[in-house]
Amino acid sequence: EDQVTQSPEALRLQEGESSSLNCSYTVSGLRGLFWYRQDPGKGPEFLFTLYSAGEEKEKERLKATLTKKESFLHITAPKPEDSATYLCAVQDYGNNRLAFGKGNQVVVIP
Amino acid sequence: ETGVTQTPRHLVMGMTNKKSLKCEQHLGHNAMYWYKQSAKKPLELMFVYSLEERVENNSVPSRFSPECPNSSHLFLHLHTLQPEDSALYLCASSTRQGEIDEQFFGPGTRLTVL
C-alpha cells in the first residue's frame, strides 16, 4: 500500500527565514509526485508535478525536488502570504489514485 | 465561472435530513472525484468518475450516493448522516483518469452534521 509521510507537521518561520518541507513516500512504481498548497477553508491549489528522480521545479519562492524516496519543498525567504498547509501526493503505476500525506502547516511571522 | 466550483460552501444538517452537494468543472476535464478531508487526516478518496462512469467506490457507506449526469457536473447526495461525517468535502477534476493525474480542486463544502 502506498504511504506518504510529511514532516514537520507544523513549522513557524520568521519572514525571510528559508526552510524545507519533507515528503517521504513508498510506492511500487512512481508515476508522479504532486505538491499542493491549501489555505484554511479552501480547496488545495496545484503547485507542481515531479516525474522522476533528479527533477526540480520552481515557482516564485518555492522549489520542489525529487529523489527515489522523498521530495523536498524549499521555501526561500518566505513571506507571510506563504503561510498555508502544503500537501504532498503520489500516484503509483499500479494504483492510479492519488495518495496524500497529512500536510505541512507553515506559518510565516512578519 | 472558471475552474472547479462547489455549492453550497457551508451546510449544516440534522441526521435525518437529505441534502445534496454540487460540483461543476469548467476545465474540459473528463474525470471527476469526491474527497473527504477531516482534521489531522490525509485526504480520503470517496468516488471517481471517468467519462461519466463510476470507476471507483472506495468503501464508502451507502448514506453517500454520487451522481454524475455529464462530464461537467458531479453531485453527492447525503442521507441519514452521522456526526462523524462532518468534514470538508472536496470535488476535483482531471484531464484523464489513469494517466498522470494532475487534479484540480474546488473550494469545498464544509459539512456539519448535528
Side-chain angles (χ1 to χ4, degrees):
Chain A
E1 185 175 321
D2 299 340
Q3 288 200 357
V4 181
T5 304
Q6 293 187 245
S7 62
E9 274 191 34
L11 186 63
R12 289 173 65 89
L13 299 171
Q14 288 292 135
E15 184 172 1
E17 178 189 0
S18 300
S19 189
S20 295
L21 312 178
N22 177 264
C23 172
S24 298
Y25 62 90
T26 305
V27 294
S28 56
L30 182 70
R31 188 189 286 268
L33 183 141
F34 308 86
W35 281 100
Y36 289 85
R37 169 195 170 122
Q38 187 173 25
D39 293 305
K42 296 188 177 181
E45 174 190 346
F46 173 78
L47 292 174
F48 304 110
T49 305
L50 301 169
Y51 300 92
S52 57
E55 189 175 2
E56 300 182 351
K57 288 195 176 173
E58 290 188 63
K59 180 179 181 180
E60 297 181 356
R61 295 175 292 282
L62 301 177
K63 179 179 177 180
T65 62
L66 181 66
T67 73
K68 288 186 178 179
K69 295 184 178 180
E70 58 191 351
S71 176
F72 292 93
L73 185 65
H74 308 278
I75 311 178
T76 302
K79 298 183 177 182
E81 52 262 42
D82 295 322
S83 298
T85 296
Y86 292 88
L87 301 176
C88 173
V90 296
Q91 185 182 3
D92 189 339
Y93 272 104
N95 179 347
N96 284 317
R97 69 178 69 175
L98 296 192
F100 282 84
K102 293 181 181 180
N104 307 98
Q105 184 179 28
V106 174
V107 174
V108 182
I109 305 161
Chain B
E1 289 276 14
T2 58
V4 181
T5 58
Q6 290 186 244
T7 55
R9 294 295 312 277
H10 301 273
L11 179 62
V12 179
M13 59 187 290
M15 293 169 60
T16 57
N17 291 157
K18 289 183 182 180
K19 296 286 184 182
S20 295
L21 309 184
K22 179 182 176 182
C23 174
E24 185 172 359
Q25 61 95 0
H26 309 267
L27 299 169
H29 290 165
N30 54 19
M32 297 186 77
Y33 313 78
W34 280 116
Y35 285 88
K36 176 183 179 181
Q37 188 175 36
S38 304
K40 305 296 184 184
K41 288 186 177 181
L43 268 71
E44 300 172 50
L45 180 64
M46 300 176 71
F47 301 104
V48 181
Y49 277 83
S50 179
L51 297 172
E52 302 154 38
E53 179 184 347
R54 191 190 310 179
V55 295
E56 190 155 347
N57 176 345
N58 204 23
S59 302
V60 178
S62 59
R63 56 186 183 268
F64 295 92
S65 174
E67 178 189 2
C68 186
N70 56 61
S71 60
S72 298
H73 294 86
L74 185 65
F75 295 89
L76 188 62
H77 304 298
L78 314 173
H79 178 52
T80 58
L81 295 190
Q82 305 298 310
E84 59 264 30
D85 297 321
S86 298
L88 182 68
Y89 288 85
L90 293 162
C91 174
S93 69
S94 66
T95 301
R96 192 166 173 181
Q97 202 267 339
E99 298 290 328
I100 192 72
D101 205 11
E102 293 175 349
Q103 296 181 15
F104 294 84
F105 287 83
T109 295
R110 173 65 63 184
L111 174 66
T112 303
V113 181
L114 301 176

